[in-house]
Amino acid sequence: MDNVVIEINEPSHQGAFLTWSDLYVTARQVHTTRKSRRSTILEGLTGYAEPGNVLAIMGPSGSGKSTLLDALAGRLLSNMRQSGKIMINGRNQALAFGTSAYVTQDDILMTTLTVREAVYYSALLQLPETMPKTEKLERADNVIKMMGLENATDTTIGGRTTVGISGGERRRVCICMEILTRPRLLFLDEPTSGLDSAASYHVMSYIINLARQEQTTVVASIHQPSSDVFELFHSLCLLSYGKLVYFGHTSAANSFFTKNGFPCPSMRNPSDHYLRTINNDFASKEEGIKSTEKAINILSDSYKSSPEYSDVQTQVCSLREKEGARLERRSQAKFITQCLVLIKRSFVNMYRDPGYYRLRLIMYVAVCICLGTIYHTLGNSYSSIQTRGLLFGFISGFLTFMSIGGFPSFVEDMKIFRRERLNGHYGVSAFVMSNTISSIPFLIIISVIPGSLAYYISGLQKGFDRFLYFILIIYTAMSLVESLMMMIASIVPDYLMGITIGAGIQGFVFLTSGFQKLPNDLLPILWKYPLYYILYGAYGYEGLLKNEFEGLSFTGNNQTGGVNRVFTSEEILRDILQVQVNYSKWVILLVLLLMTVCFRIFFFLIIKIAETRQSKRHGTRSLAES
């Protein structure tokens, strides 16, 4: 194996000894009878991982590989419970940023960025403030080279709308982003998934060298490695349906299986043989299932009475008695720097992703041109009062309703945030603030351009102050709905469910805005008090009506065959449209702005509360809380 040179800009550190004993994990499952019960995922596992070594967790699908990895990294789902002891350097301590990293099985990346940009932004977020920017970028370049991504550095990662790098390259980009800090503990969930045999060997060779040179403790779940990759691992943890079949040196596994009557045939990959022996998912006959279950029980019982089991117990006790140094959180970029980096990254993503604002802008322009031409020459007759009401009802309802079109992009943003937050790249405050600020220019554009077309083509009341207020109402309403959809994306990370919920809420808002039915005609219970005053639709609609009708008078008659007369703006607003006239239109704008701020605060609180609950449920080992 070729030696890989790693440039180090930090002093050497003591490694992290990871031990776990009598580890049980159970999960609550709901069955068709609607009764829930707890099923056991892991049964009394004991093991350890040492600095400079790579521990491979192997087993058939559903054996508990990812669950064990998540338990060791403090990432179990909320419906899971664990018992047993997990210790680092003989201490029950929290994971710390910069000393621990986790590469997930899902390649969650910002699809609009290039490989270089993705790793660069990650380096600027994670590496210390005291490190010069040039040094950060140099480290990012070195990691890209080590992972064999030089030819793809300027290629877009790609996703829903664009074709980009391959699945294997995406996996290597994820690894690049997590090893920038040279962590002491590195958790890898299926690091070779999607890679061919040559790429798998190259990636694992680099990780092996990283473990040796940096004394990093690496724990990786591997589904079915090639023989060359399998030989790279130092230790093997073999699971079968939650039971520990073997734990020990990789080189001794073959003799263990041979001793128990399951020798590996010549010219066969040892890992294939081990997994085939303990997998009964595809046993077609009852005899085959019983035979496989018998093999699993034989190996599991034999392991508990083997020298390997005694060695593991002794080693775990020995490592716990040697109480080592506590993992200290490493410094990273300051809050302001993180916000600036995230604002720039988010701005680039919003600009390049057509699903965020570009498609909406095109659609808004087309719709507003249609609106302007349909409602052209409004006039000042009595019938034009209703015409203006219809125009403003459509604008306040449709333009804000279509803000839910950005929901798929919001969900992708939340997935990226959760991955990076779990690894401690930045905090919730930086994410919410950067997401809010980076969207402002785009919301202004999709408010001003379509709004101008609708306003001037239809011939609404002249005056720059009125036009400015019109644009501000549209901008604020769109920003408010986007804040609502971000809240939904943080709770419901599913495209179809999220859009359905968002559309349903928008339907309630539209029905109670005073456009479909006048405020005084709404049922007092629930619909008028409190929904009419709580939901934001009524304020935007009222603001547009006040902005247009104040200062205008209309000639006509509201009864057939009656005498024409002049209707003042106050009469129209108070009596015909039933709009409150005892406060200014600027008060309405202020209320909408405050609602937008409140929705962003709620968005922040939802994430923090979910994070706190997860931390309390699983103790203090969550890296996101460090």
Side-chain angles (χ1 to χ4, degrees), residues 267-504:
M267 307 300 291
R268 179 180 290 180
N269 182 355
S271 64
D272 291 343
H273 172 68
Y274 302 153
L275 294 177
R276 184 178 299 179
T277 303
I278 61 176
N279 188 354
N280 68 356
D281 286 345
F282 301 97
S284 57
K285 297 181 180 180
E286 184 177 351
E287 294 80 4
I289 295 175
K290 290 182 178 179
S291 176
T292 305
E293 290 179 349
K294 183 179 179 181
I296 294 170
N297 292 330
I298 290 174
L299 291 169
S300 179
D301 294 339
S302 176
Y303 169 72
K304 292 178 182 178
S305 59
S306 67
E308 287 86 355
Y309 179 79
S310 300
D311 291 342
V312 170
Q313 298 291 333
T314 303
Q315 186 71 358
V316 169
C317 293
S318 175
L319 292 175
R320 286 184 174 174
E321 290 175 358
K322 298 177 182 178
E323 191 172 282
R326 181 175 294 275
L327 293 184
E328 299 293 340
R329 177 186 175 89
R330 292 183 185 174
S331 61
Q332 61 187 129
K334 293 181 180 178
F335 175 77
I336 297 299
T337 303
Q338 289 181 343
C339 287
L340 293 175
V341 173
L342 289 172
I343 288 171
K344 183 178 179 181
R345 188 180 74 171
S346 182
F347 184 88
V348 170
N349 180 49
M350 291 176 180
Y351 175 75
R352 294 178 182 174
D353 186 354
Y356 242 112
Y357 294 110
R358 274 189 284 168
L359 289 178
R360 270 190 281 166
L361 175 61
I362 295 172
M363 180 185 63
Y364 285 166
V365 167
V367 169
C368 286
I369 290 175
C370 293
L371 277 176
T373 52
I374 289 173
Y375 290 97
H376 184 60
T377 313
L378 292 170
N380 289 87
S381 63
Y382 184 82
S383 62
S384 68
I385 298 174
Q386 182 183 12
T387 304
R388 282 176 167 83
L390 292 172
L391 173 61
F392 294 136
F394 189 88
I395 290 174
S396 62
F398 180 79
L399 295 188
T400 55
F401 180 84
M402 289 311 299
S403 293
I404 68 175
F407 185 78
S409 299
F410 301 159
V411 171
E412 292 300 316
D413 281 354
M414 287 304 304
K415 289 180 179 178
I416 293 168
F417 162 73
R418 287 192 176 99
R419 176 184 66 78
E420 295 177 333
R421 176 58 181 153
L422 282 172
N423 279 330
H425 292 188
Y426 48 85
V428 179
S429 302
F431 169 70
V432 174
M433 185 175 295
S434 62
N435 179 271
T436 303
I437 295 174
S438 58
S439 66
I440 291 175
F442 298 99
L443 287 173
I444 292 175
I445 290 173
I446 66 173
S447 300
V448 171
I449 296 177
S452 302
L453 294 172
Y455 194 90
Y456 287 108
I457 295 177
S458 61
L460 295 174
Q461 189 172 180
K462 296 180 180 179
F464 181 75
D465 58 331
R466 296 183 186 275
F467 168 71
L468 179 62
Y469 184 87
F470 177 83
I471 296 298
L472 287 174
I473 285 289
I474 294 177
Y475 165 82
T476 310
M478 286 185 179
S479 179
L480 194 151
V481 176
E482 285 211 351
S483 301
L484 171 66
M485 296 308 295
M486 288 299 294
M487 289 170 54
I488 296 174
S490 64
I491 301 172
V492 186
D494 179 79
Y495 297 152
L496 182 59
M497 288 181 62
I499 290 177
T500 302
I501 293 172

Side-chain angles (χ1 to χ4, degrees), residues 183-226:
R184 299 187 195 181
L185 275 168
L186 180 59
F187 300 97
L188 303 168
D189 193 6
E190 302 283 0
T192 59
S193 176
L195 303 178
D196 56 45
S197 58
S200 298
Y201 183 81
H202 177 85
V203 169
M204 291 312 302
S205 297
Y206 171 70
I207 292 172
I208 295 291
N209 279 300
L210 175 69
R212 289 175 179 170
Q213 295 184 28
E214 286 288 302
Q215 286 300 292
T216 302
T217 303
V218 181
V219 183
S221 64
I222 304 290
H223 181 62
Q224 195 162 5
S226 65

